[in-house]
């Protein structure tokens, strides 16, 4: 398997090539640290961006929705393309000048031709991968999907044909030496997505406690770290 | 000023109209709680989505970048349209079935025709609004922008022509009464974007401390709350 996505006119870095990479490990790391992506698509020549939950298996991204979902139907249309973008805001960079003021981030843009997965069994398998990706072991604990439920959704798969990853971890960088003499505090304010206190549903069956499928989401832990640890493991070979 | 955006073919809710709203107060609330948006645009008929920092003044969204930035140049091209989307992931809904498994979110899709702000003074004013939106009072503390710095950037403004907001705050909802008897924990795992411990730059001028422009970002507070409080206030009338 190739270790890099090939730069193209879509992903080739025109500026700041030092911030942009194409190696799959770096692309995967940013994707797997998120549950939310933003899917870009075109209808009648106009741009649309819809946020949705997604998951990754090897070089393929997956998401799903109702069979009536407009985004789902448009991106799986004939020859339709999509741009799936994941962006993490990691910090505010407070400089002593506007130029030195910026943000830290990680982002991936991935391009491909999404397709609809048809067939109950294939949809069932895909949705189970999604549930296991979030909650390892949970498909053994919950009520299996009904045929009708599977018939009501479309699962989308998109082989990543091109992708790039952009990461900015800089601290404050001032352009002029004298800017460092400005008597204003400067530094980085980290931004972290964290898990809050889990709230039990009011209708639990008896005294059930969170199992090992839920306990990774311990109060206070960083979501990106949990999601990265729980990501679908690539099969060897 | 109208209190609602008018639904159109772009924003009209086909399904679940109960989750979709068009009133400006609701749209603003979701936008103002974020610093990051995802800008969708079209190049040669193909979709692109670029994450970037943005700010709002009344019905206009702003973002900026280098004059060489490809996204910036494409979205400000003649007759170019953009879709600016903001998505917050607010919680994981762990159900007793796949159907009951979902996420809590807030999102806005806003559509318009972005334009480039030209002229140093207009760019200077816009960038000062951005800095003040993040750090109130900070333009008085930092080194003012140089003409050359302003010449090197493009500031984009986009009047929101259409927008919709979608919010899901549900807890666990199972479709069948008997699903509530499944002996698995079910509930909501809240997800919160929080401020980490500010890291001072290594080259502070003397013993400067964070001023009132920085102290809203106290360690542990929720970023969406801080950003909403610091949002640009709409002028009366």
């Amino acid at each position: 398997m190739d270790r890099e996505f090939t730069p193209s006119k879509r992903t080739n870095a025109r500026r700041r090539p030092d911030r942009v990479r194409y190696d799959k490990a770096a692309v995967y790391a940013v994707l797997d640290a998120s549950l939310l992506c933003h899917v870009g698509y075109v209808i009648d020549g106009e741009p649309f961006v819809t946020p949705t939950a997604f998951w990754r298996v090897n070089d393929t991204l997956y998401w799903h929705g109702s069979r009536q979902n407009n985004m789902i139907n448009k991106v799986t249309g004939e020859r339709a393309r999509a741009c799936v973008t994941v962006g993490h805001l990691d910090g505010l960079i407070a400089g002593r000048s506007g130029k030195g003021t910026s943000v830290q981030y990680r982002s991936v843009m991935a391009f491909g031709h999404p397709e609809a997965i048809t067939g109950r069994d294939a949809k069932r398998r895909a949705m189970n991968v999604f549930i296991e990706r979030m909650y390892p072991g949970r498909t053994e604990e919950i009520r299996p999907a009904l045929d009708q439920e599977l018939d009501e959704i479309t699962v989308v798969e998109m082989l990543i044909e091109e992708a790039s990853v952009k990461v900015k971890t800089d601290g404050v960088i001032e352009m002029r030496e004298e800017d460092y003499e400005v008597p204003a505090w400067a530094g980085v304010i980290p931004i972290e997505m964290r898990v809050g206190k889990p709230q039990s549903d009011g209708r639990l069956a008896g005294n059930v406690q969170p199992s090992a499928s839920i306990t990774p989401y311990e109060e206070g832990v960083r979501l990106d770290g949990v999601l990265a640890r729980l990501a679908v493991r690539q099969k060897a070979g």
Side-chain angles (χ1 to χ4, degrees), chain A:
Chain A
M1 188 181 279
D2 290 342
R3 292 197 178 178
E4 299 240 342
F5 292 107
T6 307
S8 73
K9 64 171 183 172
R10 290 181 196 86
T11 60
N12 195 33
R14 289 163 192 78
R15 294 175 315 108
R16 299 303 311 253
D18 54 313
R19 294 207 204 286
V20 179
R21 296 168 65 179
Y22 305 93
D23 62 289
K24 292 187 174 182
V27 170
Y28 295 163
V30 170
L31 292 172
D32 292 348
S34 183
L35 201 60
L36 189 74
C37 70
H38 282 74
V39 179
Y41 51 105
V42 177
I43 304 177
D44 297 337
E46 297 180 2
F48 289 76
V49 180
T50 301
T52 193
F54 81 105
W55 64 106
R56 179 187 72 83
V57 179
N58 299 331
D59 278 352
T60 303
L61 303 182
Y62 295 81
W63 61 97
H64 81 291
S66 157
R67 282 182 56 189
Q68 274 85 51
N69 182 296
N70 195 41
M71 176 270 283
I72 298 274
N73 289 324
K74 293 297 179 184
V75 296
T76 56
E78 211 175 335
R79 288 187 300 277
R81 294 184 61 91
C83 172
V84 176
T85 295
V86 167
H88 301 266
L89 177 66
D90 290 327
L92 312 183
I93 306 172
R96 303 163 187 85
S97 63
K99 180 80 179 170
T101 301
S102 186
V103 296
Q104 295 180 329
Y105 58 80
R106 289 166 287 164
S107 68
V108 160
M109 295 171 74
F111 299 87
H113 292 80
E115 292 182 17
I117 294 181
T118 55
R120 281 180 192 158
D121 289 347
K123 285 197 268 191
R124 188 187 309 275
R125 282 193 302 271
M127 292 307 294
N128 280 345
V129 170
F130 181 37
I131 293 170
E132 290 287 318
R133 178 266 183 281
M134 286 188 289
Y135 308 112
R138 195 155 176 89
T139 55
E140 301 293 319
E141 304 168 353
I142 64 176
R143 190 262 290 158
L146 307 175
D147 288 348
Q148 186 195 329
E149 289 171 339
L150 295 167
D151 293 347
E152 285 169 355
I153 64 169
T154 298
V155 180
V156 180
E157 64 179 350
M158 185 185 94
L159 177 68
I160 303 175
E161 298 168 6
E162 302 166 12
S164 62
V165 54
K166 205 169 164 194
V167 175
K168 182 168 171 178
T169 56
D170 299 338
V172 178
I173 300 173
E174 303 292 357
M175 286 297 121
R176 305 186 313 171
E177 193 56 29
E178 65 249 53
D179 291 339
Y180 287 95
E181 294 163 19
V182 175
W185 182 86
V188 174
I189 299 164
I191 304 299
E192 298 154 355
M193 207 174 264
R194 292 192 179 272
V195 172
K197 186 177 172 59
Q199 303 160 348
S200 295
D201 182 50
R203 297 185 61 184
L204 291 186
N207 186 30
V208 292
Q209 296 296 315
S211 70
S213 70
I214 300 292
T215 50
Y217 298 94
E218 195 186 356
E219 186 180 354
V221 299
R222 285 186 61 160
L223 181 68
D224 53 358
V226 176
L227 291 174
R229 281 200 304 282
L230 300 183
V232 180
R233 292 286 155 240
Q234 193 148 349
K235 293 213 181 76

